Amino acid sequence: MKLFSFATAEKRVEYLWVLRAFDHARANYVVLLHAAEVATILGRIAADDASGQLSPAEVTPLLEQLHVWEVLERSYDGTRAASLAEYRNRHFVYQFSQAGYQVFRAVEDVLAARLDDASLSRLALPELLADMKELAAANRAADNDVIFRKLSRLDATLSDMATRAAHFYLTLGDLVRTTEITPETFLSHKDALLTHMREFSSDLSRYAPKLAEAIREVEDTGIDDLLRRAAMSDERVFLPPAEREADWRARWNGLTHWFLPPESGPSESERLREGTMSAIAAVLSLLRRVTETRRGGVSRESQLRHLAAWFAATPSEEAAHALFRSVFDLGRPRHLSMVHPDADIIPDSRSWWEAPPVEISRTLAETGRAPSPGAPARVQRNDAGIRRLREEQLAGQRARASAAKSLASGGVHERVLDNAETDVLLSLLDAALTARVPVSGRVGGASGSGNGVKLTLTPHSESTVVHTARGRLHLDGLRVTVQ
């Protein structure tokens, strides 16, 4: 942070002009400057700006302070001494430090930036697709230099697109959140703004799948070989090859995350497309507000501001209450159409400040509408469920009828009944046993019928055994007849 001290110092304008002189000399391939040379350059580039017209004596302390802040590096130049006295006085020359130049460029970029100039880089999408195709071809041909150039261009293009998108949505957010909405400033460019966002969103939707396929095509050619070849052609000689390859791998991973969705969520291109659609909705909402403002003549905000000024200017609390009653008409409960249960004691003309509270319904308090029974609820009919249950019922009836027919034709003796026949037999036994009525201590025969089958139970000296799929059924002292 010390490097940025010149931007907030008292003589920040003078410091900036001195650094501009170094930047001007750097563009002409001159790196080391003496205080006199800085003053000479300022005489040419400062023009009519008085803060830039500095003498060598005024420039020297500025250079020293910039050296203290580590923006400039200082070295001794003995060749400038023309006498022993000058040699003893020491002649210093200065140049940008590496970090100092980056700080100066950052400050200059902020000063030169047009904050209202924001756009989405729609035209970069076809360039990305073409570079991806050429990158895959270069990796197949093992052309290191072409791989390095294409990767560098892809990285720069994506970085520019991300920067533009962030700047665009930041500017758009300021426009949407602003409270000073004038129809002239917005309606003049709203059509171009909406067209620009819709075209970008459409192009992004069309190119995103193609770019994802192109990335997979590049990876199929061998991503490890591609990154190693890019690191071999990388001219950052002060970085070892392993670090260069790791740097390009990180850049490639960032590039793939733009168009290939990770496991944790959507890709950056999908986020950008969703953000564009949300921005279109926000702009349309803002347009609606602007239209309402034009139709009403006065915005709601300005009305409330004027009303707040009136309340602030009231001389007394009674005057404020009077203004409140006049503006909002809340002095009497008549607007709620509710009266006190005993209207003779508490008339509806009495003020709320004096009358006791009147109980009102929750619906009236929350919505302003009197409670009502409302329309009857819609009958929820599940026709599909009814059909399914009816089909199951009919299938069960058909199964029982078939089992009853089999039971009647085969009888219950000298064979084993299956589960369906056993169910029919048990239901008939239940009906027959229920119908038996004891008379004088003796129970006579009984019968039960169902599904076209009749089962008759008659007393007998021996027991009847029926073999079923579930086991043997013993009927003590009864004979069973099925017909």
Side-chain angles (χ1 to χ4, degrees):
M1 294 296 103
K2 180 175 64 174
L3 292 165
F4 286 93
S5 299
F6 74 91
T8 58
E10 182 179 357
K11 295 183 179 182
R12 52 187 174 274
V13 180
E14 288 82 356
Y15 286 124
L16 188 60
W17 274 115
V18 170
L19 295 177
R20 284 172 177 169
F22 278 90
D23 186 53
H24 180 79
R26 184 188 180 105
N28 295 318
Y29 308 106
V30 178
V31 178
L32 297 172
L33 291 180
H34 186 265
E37 294 171 338
V38 173
T40 302
I41 295 174
L42 288 177
R44 296 197 306 267
I45 67 173
D48 298 332
D49 194 335
S51 58
Q53 301 294 337
L54 302 174
S55 64
E58 295 172 327
V59 169
T60 300
L62 299 177
L63 294 174
E64 285 296 318
Q65 187 59 49
L66 288 171
H67 169 65
V68 172
W69 287 329
E70 299 180 5
V71 179
L72 297 178
E73 294 180 353
R74 185 182 67 182
S75 59
Y76 176 67
D77 186 10
T79 61
R80 295 177 176 272
S83 63
L84 182 59
E86 290 183 358
Y87 182 81
R88 290 173 177 172
N89 288 334
R90 287 196 168 190
H91 286 265
F92 289 105
V93 290
Y94 300 84
Q95 64 176 340
F96 269 121
S97 65
Q98 187 65 25
Y101 181 72
Q102 298 295 332
V103 168
F104 165 72
R105 289 310 316 164
V107 174
E108 281 289 82
D109 289 342
V110 171
L111 294 177
R114 290 188 56 185
L115 301 181
D116 57 345
D117 185 12
S119 62
L120 295 171
S121 52
R122 177 173 62 90
L123 300 179
L125 298 173
E127 295 179 1
L128 285 172
L129 183 59
D131 288 340
M132 284 289 182
K133 299 290 185 181
E134 296 176 4
L135 181 62
N139 196 29
R140 294 190 191 98
D143 193 337
N144 297 1
D145 294 340
V146 175
I147 291 174
F148 174 73
R149 289 197 301 269
K150 292 302 177 183
L151 276 179
S152 300
R153 181 172 173 176
L154 285 170
D155 181 64
T157 304
L158 267 181
S159 299
D160 178 70
M161 189 167 73
T163 303
R164 283 172 174 264
H167 186 194
F168 181 84
Y169 290 121
L170 182 62
T171 304
L172 188 63
D174 293 339
L175 175 65
V176 172
R177 289 191 300 268
T178 182
T179 56
E180 299 296 333
I181 305 172
T182 58
E184 292 76 13
T185 58
F186 179 74
L187 296 177
S188 61
H189 60 270
K190 61 95 180 175
D191 288 330
L193 180 63
L194 289 174
T195 301
H196 181 59
M197 288 193 293
R198 283 170 178 158
E199 288 179 353
F200 176 79
S201 179
S202 176
D203 287 354
L204 189 60
S205 300
R206 186 169 69 253
Y207 277 100
K210 297 180 180 179
L211 287 167
E213 183 63 28
I215 290 175
R216 295 188 184 96
E217 182 180 349
V218 172
E219 292 181 342
D220 290 341
T221 62
I223 190 63
D224 294 332
D225 295 336
L226 181 137
L227 297 176
R228 186 181 65 258
R229 289 162 182 164
M232 292 172 60
S233 295
D234 195 338
E235 298 178 347
R236 293 177 292 178
V237 295
F238 292 103
L239 286 179
E243 292 187 11
R244 279 180 276 172
E245 184 175 349
D247 178 58
W248 281 113
R249 187 176 298 276
R251 297 189 189 190
W252 178 257
N253 291 335
L255 188 148
T256 56
H257 288 165
W258 259 88
F259 300 102
L260 294 180
E263 298 179 356
S264 58
S267 63
E268 293 299 326
S269 62
E270 293 173 347
R271 294 174 187 266
L272 186 58
R273 185 164 62 249
E274 293 174 359
T276 305
M277 300 306 296
S278 300
I280 292 175
V283 172
L284 291 176
S285 176
L286 179 61
L287 176 62
R288 184 165 55 251
R289 290 164 53 194
V290 172
T291 306
E292 291 175 355
T293 301
R294 295 191 70 181
R295 183 170 60 247
V298 180
S299 66
R300 179 66 58 86
E301 181 186 359
S302 62
Q303 292 176 347
L304 294 177
R305 287 181 181 274
H306 282 291
L307 181 60
W310 290 350
F311 275 106
T314 52
S316 62
E317 186 176 355
E318 290 76 10
H321 287 304
L323 177 61
F324 182 86
R325 288 193 297 270
S326 300
V327 172
F328 298 105
D329 194 21
L330 297 178
R332 296 178 298 173
R334 187 185 302 276
H335 71 287
L336 289 176
S337 301
M338 297 291 295
V339 297
H340 196 273
D342 193 345
D344 294 333
I345 299 177
I346 309 295
D348 57 1
S349 60
R350 184 170 299 180
S351 172
W352 276 10
W353 304 109
E354 302 172 357
V358 177
E359 293 185 359
I360 61 176
S361 66
R362 186 183 186 90
T363 304
L364 183 61
E366 293 182 350
T367 65
R369 297 188 301 271
S372 62
R378 182 179 179 181
V379 177
Q380 301 293 333
R381 296 186 58 86
N382 188 359
D383 295 333
I386 293 175
R387 286 195 301 271
R388 178 178 54 80
L389 293 175
R390 181 56 179 166
E391 291 173 358
E392 293 177 357
Q393 184 182 24
L394 292 175
Q397 290 178 355
R398 287 192 293 268
R400 286 193 299 272
S402 176
K405 184 177 179 181
S406 174
L407 183 65
S409 61
V412 298
H413 301 290
E414 297 180 356
R415 73 188 189 98
V416 178
L417 306 183
D418 59 17
N419 285 326
E421 292 174 336
T422 303
D423 289 336
V424 174
L425 176 64
L426 292 177
S427 64
L428 293 174
L429 283 174
D430 183 41
L433 293 173
T434 303
R436 299 176 70 192
V437 180
V439 178
S440 301
R442 181 176 181 274
V443 178
S447 64
S449 62
N451 298 104
V453 179
K454 182 178 180 182
L455 180 141
T456 304
L457 297 176
T458 56
H460 196 268
S461 60
E462 298 180 359
S463 298
T464 301
V465 178
V466 181
H467 296 273
T468 70
R470 304 177 191 175
R472 289 177 294 180
L473 175 64
H474 294 267
L475 299 174
D476 188 20
L478 292 175
R479 178 180 293 278
V480 180
T481 305
V482 179
Q483 60 185 14

